Amino acid sequence: MNQRLAWAITGSGHYLRESLAILKTLKDVDVFLSKAAAEIIQQYGFQEQLIATGHRVYQDKTASSVPVELFYHGQYHTLVIAPATSNTIAKMAYGFSDSLVTNLFAQAGKTRVPSIVFACDTAPELESEAPRENVVKVYPRAIDLENVSKLKAFEATIVVADMASLNQAIQNRLQVICTEHQ
């Protein structure tokens, strides 16, 4: 069976454009959109970029997050969550699994599938893209930074703070997968 990479997007515009650019370079990916992600992608005008990736897209439209069952069948070798909002980070850090993305993270952990998370709020001061290409300053709260730190302690979870680190973590993981299948 050819395992795939699962990529979840939450409702943040922070490096969303760059995340979609990385997605476009990858093969064998299933994309999972939270309800907020579907809204943000439309708001930012990135529907065409998402379609251009050529990947299957699942949207959060069920109360029970039906697509998580794909983890039970060994369909995925890695879960990437990028970008991940402070809300999603907080839920994951405290074990909540009440949405598609948090359910994916929980099930990845329970099925021992490694996760790579690009957390939006990783520094006391950041610049972030807003709709219509405006750049705004954001100042993550102490609790946001604490939750990122807490998530970093999870087993089989890599938390990254920038696009270069995200891309490198994905490439490293794909290299491990390639080596395992030789």
Side-chain angles (χ1 to χ4, degrees):
M1 180 171 97
N2 187 24
Q3 288 185 309
R4 301 173 63 78
L5 184 134
W7 187 305
I9 300 173
T10 68
S12 175
H14 186 67
Y15 287 103
L16 177 58
R17 176 188 315 270
E18 293 82 355
S19 294
L20 291 171
I22 292 172
L23 249 174
K24 191 174 181 180
T25 68
L26 302 172
K27 295 179 182 176
D28 300 320
V29 180
D30 289 344
V31 179
F32 297 87
L33 302 180
S34 70
K35 289 178 184 177
E39 290 175 3
I40 291 295
I41 285 171
Q42 260 192 338
Q43 186 179 9
Y44 280 66
F46 291 161
Q47 303 94 319
E48 291 303 316
Q49 284 178 272
L50 178 61
I51 292 166
T53 67
H55 303 305
R56 294 188 290 213
V57 177
Y58 297 89
Q59 289 192 30
D60 192 356
K61 293 186 177 186
T62 62
S64 61
S65 299
V66 172
V68 301
E69 74 182 35
L70 299 171
F71 279 87
Y72 306 145
H73 304 296
Q75 191 155 344
Y76 300 110
H77 57 73
T78 309
L79 171 64
V80 173
I81 303 173
T85 62
S86 60
N87 183 54
T88 299
I89 295 293
K91 288 179 175 187
M92 293 186 315
Y94 285 90
F96 287 85
S97 53
D98 64 349
S99 69
L100 177 59
V101 175
T102 57
N103 260 311
L104 291 169
F105 181 72
Q107 297 317 309
K110 291 177 182 181
T111 57
R112 296 188 173 161
V113 172
S115 295
I116 302 167
V117 180
F118 168 64
C120 295
D121 295 333
T122 57
E125 182 178 322
L126 302 163
E127 287 189 352
S128 185
E129 183 177 344
R132 294 164 291 285
E133 300 185 37
N134 297 321
V135 175
V136 296
K137 287 256 188 202
V138 292
Y139 305 91
R141 305 165 299 169
I143 188 69
D144 300 325
L145 300 174
E146 288 171 26
N147 290 336
V148 169
S149 193
K150 184 175 180 81
L151 194 62
K152 287 179 179 179
F154 276 51
E155 62 188 54
T157 301
I158 297 170
V159 179
V160 299
D162 58 57
M163 288 293 103
S165 299
L166 174 62
N167 196 38
Q168 188 62 57
I170 292 168
Q171 295 308 315
N172 290 348
R173 180 68 185 140
L174 293 175
Q175 186 64 40
V176 167
I177 295 302
C178 190
T179 303
E180 288 175 355
H181 289 99
Q182 287 182 354

